[in-house]
Amino acid sequence: MKRTLAVASLALAAALALASPAEAVPTPPGDTPALACGLGTVDLTNPPLGYPVTTINDAAKKLGLSEVPTAVGLGCDKSIPTDPNSGTHRYPGSGPVVLRTSETAPTQEYCTNSVSARGDLLGNGGVVLPGGKTLAVIGSGCVVEANPIII
């Protein structure tokens, strides 16, 4: 019994040691659109106190996002390179996306799915009202990771 447990423990330790950090956190492919969100990005899994998460969740559902939103980017009007080896890629309005506050922000939100809408911002909460000029992007499956542009 002890021998079986020891072998299983060693196998698990070896598997964890061989796993690269890239396997633990998804990395955006170089052709994933990246956007600079000049009005900020918010990790909805740990939002600032009072942030209107319920309103953003409702907006995401109305825009067709089937998963629970995990990040939002506001004022995402500028395409930027995804990584040091790629150019910019047009954001089609939905799908995988990288959100940063600027091209050289220390971190980014890589989202495996997203929806977006142009709209005015209501107050400081970041609520999108249709008809505005800035782009708000709501993402799901998002992870915070280091920005490869500045690494």
Side-chain angles (χ1 to χ4, degrees):
M1 174 73 171
K2 287 184 181 179
R3 184 174 188 203
T4 304
L5 185 57
V7 170
S9 296
L10 286 173
L12 178 60
L16 290 174
L18 293 175
S20 70
E23 291 175 16
V25 176
T27 300
D31 62 349
T32 302
L35 299 172
C37 302
L39 298 177
T41 62
V42 175
D43 177 358
L44 296 176
T45 63
N46 190 20
L49 188 62
Y51 203 78
V53 174
T54 301
T55 303
I56 291 169
N57 289 347
D58 292 344
K61 283 181 190 174
K62 289 177 185 172
L63 292 168
L65 189 65
S66 58
E67 303 90 11
V68 175
T70 51
V72 63
L74 305 170
C76 303
D77 297 318
K78 181 181 177 193
S79 290
I80 55 177
T82 305
D83 58 48
N85 303 314
S86 68
T88 60
H89 304 280
R90 188 183 72 75
Y91 175 63
S94 63
V97 68
V98 172
L99 303 174
R100 296 186 199 123
T101 54
S102 70
E103 185 173 347
T104 58
T107 60
Q108 64 185 22
E109 293 270 358
Y110 168 51
C111 303
T112 57
N113 198 9
S114 69
V115 292
S116 63
R118 291 214 169 266
D120 291 329
L121 303 178
L122 178 63
N124 294 326
V127 180
V128 177
L129 295 177
K133 295 179 179 146
T134 62
L135 184 68
V137 178
I138 304 171
S140 64
C142 305
V143 292
V144 177
E145 58 188 17
N147 179 353
I149 298 286
I150 61 169
I151 293 178

